[in-house]
Structure formats: C-alpha cells, structure tokens
Amino acid sequence: MQLKKFKLSKLFGRIDHEIDFPVSEGDSSEPSLVILHGPNGIGKTTILKMIDGIMRLDFTVFRQTPFSRCSLQFSNNKSIDVRSNGGHSSRTLEVAFDGKVAKLNVKRAGPATHEDAAAVDGLRTDFFAQTNRIKFEFINTNRTGAASRDATERYRELADEMRSIEARIVDDAEIEQSASRDSAVLARSKIIARRKFGSTATTLARFIAEAQINYRNFFSTSTPDLFPKILQRLGEQSSLRYTSEDLLARLRSISERDGYTQRLGLQGDRWNYDQLAQLLTPKSSENTNSNALAVVGTYVEFLESRAAERALVAERLLTFEKLASELLHEKKVTVEPEVGFRIETRDGQVLVEEQLSSGELHLLYLMVSALTTRRRGTVIAIDEPELSMHIAWQRRLVRTLFQCASKAEPQFILATHSPDIAAEYPESMIDLAG
C-alpha cells in the first residue's frame, strides 16, 4: 500500500494543490520521488505536516491552518478526507474514511461532542487497521536541528562523566588489551559513548538483526522462495545434472561470501565444508551415486538461497559505508553490528554521532532512514533537506538516498527551496506556484 494522490483546497483561503505520487507496480525495486518546490508561503511544509497528521490521525495542523478540504488517496483507491465546515471559523472538523464519518473538535484534540466519540474511535480503528503496512516518517529539519542541539548538550555531560569515571564501571575484559593507563581511559570513553548514544546507529543495528529474520520485508527480489524451488527440482527429477565438481565449487563460493558478510554481523548457516567435500570426493567411483548428489545438491541450493539473502543486506550496508566515508569530510564510517556503525577520523580518533557537524549529522540520519527502508510501504517525507548542506551534497543527496535504499521502493517526498536537490531528477520536480 502506497500514497497515490494528495488534494488540498483553499489553503490559507486561496491556494489549491493536487499532487500525484508515483506508485510502484509488480516487482519494481526502484524508489519513487516527488520534490515540492515553490516560494515561501506556498504551502510546502504545510503539505508535509498535513500528510504526517493524517497518517497519525493527529489533526493539530488542520486546526491551526485555514483550509476547506484535504484528501489523501492510497494505491488501493481508498482515501481519507478532512473537511473544515465553514472554513477556519468552523466549529468542527469532519473526517471520513471507508464509509465512516467522524466529527472532531476544532479547538482541541478529541470528538466534537460526547455523542461523536464512538464514531471517532471506530474510524481510528479502521484506518490504522487498513494502513498499518505504511511506514511514514516525517523528517522536519527544524526538529532535527533541535534534537541535534539537545544531543550536543548530552555529549558535554558525557565528556564530564568520562573525565571522572572510575575503571570499576567497565568490565576488565573490555579493556584488558590496553597497554597503558591512557589507552585504558580512551577505551573506557569509547565504550561509554557506545552505551550512551546511538539513535541513528541503533536504528542501523536493529535493521541488521531484523533483515536476517525476514529479508523480504526489506528487499524486492524475483527469486522464488526456497521450498517451492526445491519441490520444483524434485518434480523435475533433475538429480543427474549435479556433479561433484560443480557442487564443490558452489560450496567454496558460499564459504567465501559468508566470509565478508560475517564482518557486517550477518550470521551464516552452520555447515561443515570439509565434511561435505569429503562426501563429494569418494575414494571409489561406486560410492558416487545420483541419490547422494541429489541430496547434497538440494542442501547446496538451500545454502545458496540463504547466502543470497545475506548478500542483499550486505550490499546495502557496504553501499552505506562507502557513501558515508566519501561524503563525511576526512572520516571513515564502518558498520559494526552490535552498535550500528563506527565513525573514525584519519588519525584514528573515534567519534560519537553528536561530535559531527549539524550538516554531517543530518546527512547521516537521512542515509540511515533510506538504508533501513522496507521493501514497499515506506514513505520518507523531508522538509528542506538542503539546510546545513554544501551544494555538492545537495546535488548528490537524492542519488545517495536511492543507493542506500537498493532493492526497495520507498516513496520520497521532499519540500525544498533548492533546485540543486533536483539536479539529476528534474522530472520529479513539482512547482507548487505553477
């Protein structure tokens, strides 16, 4: 389920907007993009806030803003409508979804009257039940900036704590490799920082864990599920097409792939290469038979299927590492599965997120939001993503987000004053003033 169309009438008493969102079809694995552009006061931020309010059924922005009617249509052609009866001086807001109508108080949260409470509860239950597969994230640059300032204050407090910390709060095993008291203090500081912080990093660590449980939640792939594929093989009586040499080569390939995915926290299946190799290289030819090859061949296909799942996750993580290290000035970003990622300067100093500049922290947050996107149903709305970003970053931003969301089709909605954001995607620009 995705967003399909947004319509807004008489915003500020005079402006009408209609926005079509591209909808992915079939097994598409490409993100879609809408970039809202226009002068101040045209309603870019208000549109994002209204969509966000609708998806959370929080109508605060509708109570604060003059408008006549607003509707959001989904890819299943159902829509939710919000009306201000009588304009901004109305006594009620009227919300309708899937045949249900509810009246809300125009001055505060809640139903218009006690008699409307049941209708409000019914609509809320029905709406969330039907839209629960949509993950909507509204990234408000101003709110992110405030969060960054709060985080900076927390980091200052942490620095004071680090200077006075006693070794007893850190397990000896965690710093036993320290060669001196100074290195022990440094190790202690890094450990505390990892424990204390990691909003963005923790999101990435959670993605690594969840993607291994059900990769199809995050990736679009034409590869059939394993069990139907095995049944198809058995039905074809295709065991004779396996050879010992072919199966050994495929096992070596799986082992090599598992070698680099394990660094990223992707756990391979437990199997013994030497034991299988011994089975596939018998001492006498009479021990090699089609039944044995069929059994081992089916198991190899199972291992290959699982390795392919891990490779999808690894591709996204490695892309994130590469792009983040390219974009953050003289810093290297490395995925560390337990904490999310590690940021290190050229001289080896390990940084927590809050030591980054506001632009770096903002970019990192956007990249992780794209990286952790689900296969379909994720909507990421970003208000003024260009703030605190160099023009070179602005021009690369959309492409970077698309790369971080590989093999998925989230919907990106950006509201911007900067045409450089759309430099590579001019066809996605919607001029609200036009």
Side-chain angles (χ1 to χ4, degrees):
M1 192 174 183
Q2 298 173 291
L3 306 188
K4 184 177 180 179
K5 184 187 288 288
F6 176 84
K7 295 179 69 174
L8 180 59
S9 301
K10 298 296 183 288
L11 175 64
F12 310 129
R14 56 187 176 81
I15 304 173
D16 296 336
H17 290 306
E18 183 170 331
I19 301 166
D20 291 310
F21 300 110
V23 176
S24 302
E25 297 179 357
D27 290 326
S28 169
S29 59
E30 289 295 322
S32 66
L33 174 67
V34 165
I35 302 175
L36 307 180
H37 183 262
N40 292 324
I42 201 68
K44 300 184 298 298
T45 299
T46 301
I47 288 171
L48 297 189
K49 287 182 176 180
M50 284 184 166
I51 297 174
D52 177 52
I54 286 175
M55 294 306 301
R56 294 184 295 110
L57 294 187
D58 179 347
F59 297 96
T60 301
V61 66
F62 293 92
R63 294 182 173 96
Q64 297 173 343
T65 308
F67 79 104
S68 175
R69 180 178 180 182
C70 177
S71 68
L72 181 62
Q73 185 180 15
F74 303 99
S75 55
N76 63 359
N77 290 323
K78 291 188 178 181
S79 63
I80 181 169
D81 293 277
V82 186
R83 298 192 186 200
S84 177
N85 295 325
H88 195 52
S89 60
S90 169
R91 290 188 173 184
T92 63
L93 288 175
E94 186 176 279
V95 183
F97 176 74
D98 198 20
K100 294 182 172 60
V101 179
K103 292 183 179 181
L104 304 177
N105 191 299
V106 76
K107 294 183 178 180
R108 54 175 174 78
T113 66
H114 292 297
E115 290 75 16
D116 296 308
V120 170
D121 290 341
L123 186 146
R124 177 178 292 274
T125 299
D126 192 30
F127 178 81
F128 285 139
Q130 294 195 45
T131 61
N132 61 1
R133 299 191 68 177
I134 297 180
K135 177 190 174 187
F136 186 90
E137 181 177 8
F138 175 42
I139 302 174
N140 186 323
T141 303
N142 292 329
R143 187 164 58 200
T144 303
S148 176
R149 289 192 295 272
D150 292 341
T152 301
E153 291 303 317
R154 294 203 314 274
Y155 177 75
R156 289 171 181 162
E157 294 174 4
L158 175 61
D160 293 337
E161 182 180 348
M162 286 179 178
R163 284 191 287 270
S164 61
I165 199 75
E166 295 293 334
R168 60 182 172 79
I169 73 166
V170 181
D171 294 338
D172 291 340
E174 292 181 287
I175 59 171
E176 62 184 0
Q177 301 301 321
S178 300
S180 65
R181 183 179 181 282
D182 288 342
S183 61
V185 171
L186 177 61
R188 215 173 289 131
S189 299
K190 293 175 183 176
I191 293 165
I192 297 167
R194 288 199 299 269
R195 289 174 176 174
K196 288 270 185 175
F197 291 110
S199 56
T200 302
T202 301
T203 300
L204 192 149
R206 191 182 307 119
F207 163 77
I208 294 174
E210 292 180 359
Q212 294 181 79
I213 296 173
N214 190 345
Y215 79 104
R216 286 189 182 274
N217 281 344
F218 298 92
F219 300 92
S220 175
T221 173
S222 59
T223 303
D225 287 331
L226 179 63
F227 187 63
K229 188 166 66 173
I230 290 176
L231 290 179
Q232 181 182 358
R233 293 281 191 271
L234 293 175
E236 293 172 350
Q237 296 293 318
S238 57
S239 59
L240 290 177
R241 71 196 189 105
Y242 294 121
T243 67
S244 297
E245 294 78 10
D246 173 59
L247 293 178
L248 280 171
R250 291 162 70 178
L251 286 170
R252 282 193 296 270
S253 176
I254 296 169
S255 181
E256 291 171 359
R257 292 168 74 178
D258 281 351
Y260 80 83
T261 59
Q262 285 177 359
R263 179 197 52 97
L264 301 168
L266 307 176
Q267 300 302 316
D269 297 292
R270 295 183 178 182
W271 57 284
N272 190 311
Y273 174 83
D274 293 334
Q275 188 178 32
L276 288 174
Q278 185 178 5
L279 179 65
L280 291 170
T281 53
K283 295 180 180 179
S284 57
S285 59
E286 59 266 22
N287 290 330
T288 305
N289 59 72
S290 59
N291 289 333
L293 290 175
V295 171
V296 177
T298 300
Y299 184 56
V300 169
E301 291 204 6
F302 164 77
L303 294 176
E304 284 179 329
S305 178
R306 297 273 295 162
E309 296 173 12
R310 292 189 291 275
L312 288 172
V313 185
E315 178 186 354
R316 246 191 233 181
L317 295 174
L318 293 172
T319 298
F320 167 78
E321 275 189 347
K322 176 179 178 294
L323 293 173
S325 297
E326 287 177 359
L327 291 166
L328 299 189
H329 184 61
E330 296 189 345
K331 298 176 183 69
K332 180 181 180 182
V333 178
T334 307
V335 171
E336 288 194 351
E338 291 186 0
V339 296
F341 54 78
R342 172 192 182 97
I343 307 169
E344 192 172 358
T345 64
R346 281 190 175 182
D347 59 5
Q349 180 186 2
V350 177
L351 306 177
V352 292
E353 295 172 53
E354 286 70 22
Q355 289 175 281
L356 301 175
S357 70
S358 59
E360 289 175 320
L361 187 59
H362 184 53
L363 176 65
L364 198 61
Y365 183 86
L366 297 183
M367 291 176 66
V368 171
S369 296
L371 182 147
T372 57
T373 185
R374 293 184 175 273
R375 182 179 76 86
R376 181 174 293 175
T378 296
V379 183
I380 302 175
I382 311 171
D383 186 29
E384 298 189 45
E386 70 274 11
L387 292 186
S388 300
M389 286 192 185
H390 186 273
I391 190 169
W393 280 11
Q394 293 181 32
R395 290 171 176 168
R396 288 188 60 179
L397 178 63
V398 174
R399 174 162 41 101
T400 296
L401 298 181
F402 276 26
Q403 289 174 302
C404 287
S406 63
K407 300 295 190 298
E409 53 262 46
Q411 293 178 300
F412 288 102
I413 309 172
L414 312 183
T416 180
H417 290 284
S418 171
D420 293 293
I421 291 289
E424 297 183 10
Y425 302 88
E427 70 283 356
S428 299
M429 180 86 80
I430 295 178
D431 186 352
L432 296 180

